[in-house]
Amino acid sequence: AEYMGSTSLSTMWYITLLIASCIPLCYAGQPLPPYIKPCARSDPNINECAVKHGNEAIPELVKGDRKYKIPVLDPFDIKELKIIDDGSRTSGISITLKNAKVYGIKDSQLKKASIHFDQNHSYYDMLVPKVHIVGEYESSGRILLLPISGKGNVSLTIENIYVMYYEHWQLAPKNGEMYLTRDNLTATSKTPTGFHIQLTNLFNGNKLLGDQMNEFLNENWRDAYNELSPTIFKIIAEILVSVVSRISSVVPYDNIFPEKLPS
């Protein structure tokens, strides 16, 4: 099964994907950090270059970089995240996540890049072997057609998230230079190979009902994941936004994608 969501990153989604776009990202008009190697847009093998250099950069990039205002990405802190179903899905669930931490981004693997300068779009495949999310939650509504409510702690573990990410951009002038502005972002994720969820204090602390619900969700984890995947995508989006928008808003296009590398 697959889930596809289309939204602007200012309102929604990925876990780690645009770490991929950070391949050539950090070319501000200042020296590149030592962990980022450039790929020129005139390089006929730019996609292979992007994958190679992207994977080399991820372990250092996730540590954060104050110079480019990139926060620490592993663990990634989320103060508050609200997801309210708009009626387009059967779950009808409302979830608020607070004081959460996301672990596992450091192990992300960029599998594929497809960059098309003539059409102003890029496509990336990313595998995250394991994501672990812990924090506080508050929920109400229904999941898998069953009522669910509670306020307590949540622990989510997801194994092998494979995400396909697409972005389209435009160029906009600012201060005499051109900058990337993204106007169409979509993300598709295959169902992972494993998913485990543990919610405390469900149903006003009714341990019997809470245990039964946790057991039911984990026995039917594929269906549970598919209903919760928009929430997970939103968490990932927060991580992407923290990297991509902060850099592309201050780094000119010609610095992000140089025509040629210095000889």
Side-chain angles (χ1 to χ4, degrees), residues 28-48:
Q30 45 193 323
L32 277 173
Y35 56 84
I36 300 258
K37 295 179 182 178
C39 296
R41 63 179 187 262
S42 59
D43 185 347
N45 299 312
I46 188 172
N47 295 327
E48 292 80 358

Side-chain angles (χ1 to χ4, degrees), residues 85-186:
D85 183 66
D86 60 4
S88 62
R89 297 178 63 83
T90 58
S91 59
I93 192 169
S94 172
I95 301 174
T96 299
L97 193 66
K98 293 182 178 180
N99 302 320
K101 290 184 178 294
V102 182
Y103 299 87
I105 305 304
K106 62 182 176 59
D107 298 318
S108 299
Q109 302 166 21
L110 181 59
K111 294 296 187 179
K112 179 181 179 181
S114 183
I115 304 171
H116 300 274
F117 296 107
D118 57 335
Q119 301 175 46
N120 288 12
H121 71 243
S122 303
Y123 176 90
Y124 303 96
D125 286 357
M126 177 76 74
L127 173 67
V128 189
K130 181 176 287 187
V131 171
H132 186 51
I133 303 170
V134 294
E136 302 168 10
Y137 83 95
E138 184 172 356
S139 71
S140 61
R142 305 176 76 85
I143 184 170
L144 301 184
L145 302 180
L146 296 178
I148 183 172
S149 64
K151 182 178 181 180
N153 296 323
V154 59
S155 174
L156 290 172
T157 300
I158 312 154
E159 297 178 358
N160 293 314
I161 298 179
Y162 197 91
V163 179
M164 294 76 76
Y165 173 89
Y166 167 90
E167 65 170 1
H168 186 273
W169 69 79
Q170 300 290 344
L171 295 179
K174 184 172 67 173
N175 299 326
E177 296 188 273
M178 303 302 289
Y179 288 78
L180 284 170
T181 60
R182 292 168 176 84
D183 58 11
N184 184 17
L185 308 170
T186 59

Side-chain angles (χ1 to χ4, degrees), residues 25 36 83 90 99 146 153 159 197 204 238-240 245:
L25 275 181
I36 300 258
I83 300 93
T90 58
N99 302 320
L146 296 178
N153 296 323
E159 297 178 358
I197 183 171
N204 295 317
E238 295 293 322
I239 299 176
L240 284 184
S245 61

Side-chain angles (χ1 to χ4, degrees), residues 173-222:
K174 184 172 67 173
N175 299 326
E177 296 188 273
M178 303 302 289
Y179 288 78
L180 284 170
T181 60
R182 292 168 176 84
D183 58 11
N184 184 17
L185 308 170
T186 59
T188 305
S189 177
K190 295 180 180 179
T191 300
T193 60
F195 176 74
H196 183 270
I197 183 171
Q198 183 69 32
L199 301 166
T200 69
N201 201 42
L202 283 167
F203 307 110
N204 295 317
N206 186 314
K207 187 176 187 303
L208 178 61
L209 290 179
D211 288 347
Q212 290 176 341
M213 176 58 77
N214 278 304
E215 182 178 356
F216 175 78
L217 292 176
N218 286 294
E219 286 179 351
N220 299 276
W221 68 265
R222 289 179 177 83

